[in-house]
Every structure is written in structure tokens, then in C-alpha cells.
């Protein structure tokens, strides 16, 4: 039993990271209806910025704060310069644009920092808490705490600030929001900036556990898509719940399903995506789209 609970704890830590990336995907989808295939690469690029700041001598948390500011501005810039020109275009066109952005950002990171693996500092102390025979690493506790803090801040933003209420109005009905004086264009840019910021948090959390190189977010993005699909692409809370479920399911499958092990764990999110699309396409917390004839 202790071994099972140990795997669950490790899955919660991984799931929290998937949840933060899924949250970034859901935020953009809510505001624009776009599935951003470049979200992982934008997070990777932000992580490199944090690494560069630390290498230049900044303390980790100061480097993170600066990275989040740069990521927010970069997300807004991407929306204004790349996404805005194709606003209203067919869905396939927008998919191609985000895939092109994926390739460009990946190549740019490799050109600037090379494709060599780099060490990324872990902001959390080494060691673990011992709770009834279960080892809970300080890194896991830190990751869960950071993701919980992000969720609280987003809740306060959307529920108790004028900007957040405006963003919710634009996500619900852009035309009506424009009629009451909300600047829809800039609000959409704010949504991209916010998603880029949340994605940067995910990248900074995952880099110490994996490694830092331009392709590091490829697998994480698949898990994030599974989390967003499971929770519902129109539900931020669902993305978090979905991320936790995916993380725990992946860890348990790797530990207890013999033919999966550590090599085929990437198949778990793919099976989750397929199962949700077949059984409940809107996800656990999503709203089904009803069209009147």
C-alpha cells in the first residue's frame, strides 16, 4: 500500500506541471478559440530566458520574475503580430500558423542557445518529508504549491478585478463585450500574454526535473493536451483536474502495467485523448455545443 501511495504522490507532482501547461492551452482557447500548438515551445523559450538570467548572476526568483514579465510581453506580441492577421481565417489556416510558430521558436532557441543539454537550477531544496513511510520530496511540495498559487491568482484575477471581468466577457461574447466599450483586441492580447506567463511557469518547473534543451517540452505538451481534453478545453479548473489525473494515471501505469514501464508511458495520454474524444468529447467539465437546426 505504501508503494502505491508513493506512486500517487509522484504522479501528483508530475500532474501539477501538466496542469499548468494545460491551463495555458485552455486560457488561449477560451479567449480566441485557437488550439495553440506552439504553447510548449513558447514555454521552452521562456525557460531559456530564465536560465540566461540566472547564468548572468541574478537570483533564481528575481530571474523568474523578470522572465514572467518578458513572457507576458512576448505573448501579447505574438497575438498582435502573428495571430491577429489571420483572425477569422479558416481553422486549418490557424493550425498551420501555430505549427509554423512551433517550428520557428524551436529553431530560434537552437540557434541562440544551441541544442546542447544544459542544467537548470532547482529552486527547491533537496530532501523529502517522511509521512507514514511515504517520501514526499520538497521539489514535489514546491511544484504543487506554485501551481496552487497560480490557480488562486487566476481566480482572483477573473472574479475580483475589472480586467478579469472584461476578459471573461470577451471569452463569453466578444460582440456584446465590444458594444459595452471593452477593447476586445487588446483583451485578446492580454489573454495570450497571460497564457504565455502560465506556460513559462510550467517550463521553469519542469526543466530541473528533465533537462534544458529546445525539444524538452514536446512530451509535456502531449500530456497537457490530454489534460485539457480530459478536463474540457473551456474549463480552466477542468484543465487542472485533468492534469492531476493524467499525471497519476501515467505514473501508476508505468509502475504497475508491465508492458508499459518507463518506455511506453507516453502512450497513456494518447489513450486518454482517444477515449475522451470517443466517449465525452467536451471533457469532464466542458460544455457540449448545441446547435439548433
Amino acid at each position: 500500500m505504501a508503494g502505491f501511495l508513493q506512486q500517487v504522490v509522484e504522479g501528483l507532482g508530475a500532474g501539477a506541471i501538466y496542469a499548468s501547461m494545460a491551463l495555458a492551452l485552455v486560457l488561449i482557447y477560451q479567449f480566441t478559440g485557437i488550439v495553440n500548438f506552439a504553447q510548449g515551445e513558447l514555454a521552452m523559450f521562456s525557460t531559456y530566458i530564465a536560465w540566461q538570467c540566472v547564468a548572468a548572476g541574478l537570483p533564481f526568483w528575481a530571474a523568474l520574475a523578470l522572465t514572467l514579465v518578458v513572457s507576458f510581453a512576448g505573448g501579447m506580441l505574438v497575438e498582435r503580430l502573428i495571430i491577429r492577421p489571420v483572425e477569422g481565417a479558416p481553422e486549418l489556416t490557424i493550425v498551420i500558423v501555430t505549427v509554423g510558430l512551433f517550428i520557428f521558436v524551436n529553431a530560434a532557441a537552437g540557434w541562440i542557445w544551441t541544442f546542447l543539454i544544459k542544467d537548470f537550477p532547482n529552486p527547491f531544496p533537496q530532501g523529502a518529508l517522511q509521512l507514514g513511510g511515504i517520501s514526499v520530496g520538497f521539489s514535489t511540495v514546491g511544484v504543487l504549491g506554485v501551481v496552487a498559487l497560480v490557480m488562486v491568482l487566476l481566480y482572483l484575477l477573473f472574479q475580483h478585478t475589472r480586467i478579469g471581468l472584461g476578459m471573461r466577457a470577451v471569452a463569453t461574447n466578444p460582440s456584446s463585450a465590444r458594444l459595452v466599450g471593452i477593447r476586445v483586441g487588446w483583451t485578446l492580447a492580454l489573454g495570450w500574454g497571460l497564457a504565455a506567463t502560465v506556460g513559462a511557469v510550467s517550463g521553469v518547473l519542469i526543466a530541473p526535473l528533465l533537462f534544458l534543451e529546445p525539444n524538452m517540452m514536446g512530451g509535456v505538451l502531449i500530456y497537457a493536451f490530454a489534460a485539457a481534453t480530459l478536463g474540457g478545453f473551456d474549463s480552466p479548473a477542468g484543465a487542472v483536474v485533468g492534469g492531476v489525473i493524467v499525471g497519476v494515471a501515467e505514473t501508476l501505469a508505468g509502475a504497475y502495467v508491465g508492458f508499459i514501464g518507463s518506455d511506453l508511458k507516453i502512450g497513456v495520454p494518447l489513450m486518454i485523448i482517444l477515449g475522451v474524444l470517443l466517449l465525452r468529447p467536451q471533457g469532464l467539465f466542458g460544455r457540449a455545443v448545441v446547435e439548433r437546426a
Side-chain angles (χ1 to χ4, degrees):
M1 186 63 180
F4 175 82
L5 293 177
Q6 183 67 56
Q7 295 297 325
V8 171
V9 168
E10 293 179 5
L12 289 175
I17 296 174
Y18 305 151
S20 62
M21 179 55 67
L23 191 56
L25 291 170
V26 166
L27 287 173
I28 288 182
Y29 184 82
Q30 267 200 313
F31 292 122
T32 64
I34 294 173
V35 177
N36 183 17
F37 290 93
Q39 191 66 59
E41 300 310 284
L42 294 176
M44 173 272 296
F45 201 89
S46 296
T47 307
Y48 265 109
I49 293 174
W51 175 84
Q52 191 70 66
C53 291
V54 172
L58 280 180
F60 178 87
W61 296 109
L64 176 59
L66 180 59
T67 298
L68 296 183
V69 172
V70 173
S71 299
F72 183 82
M76 292 186 65
L77 196 63
V78 166
E79 196 279 335
R80 300 296 289 186
L81 298 181
I82 299 176
I83 302 302
R84 183 64 56 86
V86 295
E87 184 180 11
E91 292 182 359
L92 182 59
T93 300
I94 298 175
V95 168
I96 293 172
V97 169
T98 60
V99 172
L101 181 61
F102 174 106
I103 297 171
F104 174 78
V105 174
N106 183 276
W111 178 62
I112 297 171
W113 290 288
T114 77
F115 285 88
L116 297 177
I117 294 175
K118 295 176 173 60
D119 290 327
F120 192 88
N122 193 331
F124 307 112
Q126 299 294 322
L129 297 172
Q130 300 298 325
L131 302 174
I134 301 171
S135 179
V136 183
F138 291 126
S139 180
T140 298
V141 175
V143 167
L144 290 171
V146 169
V147 173
L149 177 61
V150 169
M151 282 296 298
V152 170
L153 292 176
L154 288 176
Y155 173 81
L156 294 175
L157 172 67
F158 289 129
Q159 298 292 333
H160 299 287
T161 69
R162 185 173 180 178
I163 293 176
L165 293 175
M167 295 175 77
R168 289 173 59 195
V170 170
T172 302
N173 193 321
S175 299
S176 298
R178 187 177 285 108
L179 289 176
V180 298
I182 297 175
R183 301 178 66 181
V184 173
W186 279 108
T187 303
L188 293 176
L190 285 174
W192 273 79
L194 190 61
T197 304
V198 175
V201 172
S202 176
V204 169
L205 290 177
I206 194 66
L209 305 179
L210 297 177
F211 41 74
L212 180 59
E213 61 99 15
N215 297 310
M216 73 172 195
M217 296 301 290
V220 177
L221 187 63
I222 295 176
Y223 287 106
F225 270 119
T229 304
L230 178 60
F233 261 94
D234 56 358
S235 173
V240 175
V241 174
V244 172
I245 294 175
V246 169
V248 172
E250 171 222 8
T251 304
L252 292 178
Y256 294 108
V257 181
F259 70 91
I260 291 181
S262 60
D263 296 326
L264 294 179
K265 289 198 295 184
I266 193 66
V268 174
L270 297 178
M271 289 187 290
I272 290 175
I273 291 173
L274 180 61
V276 172
L277 292 179
L278 290 175
L279 301 176
R280 189 177 171 84
Q282 71 270 29
L284 296 177
F285 300 93
R287 296 187 300 270
V289 177
V290 178
E291 296 183 359
R292 295 182 179 179

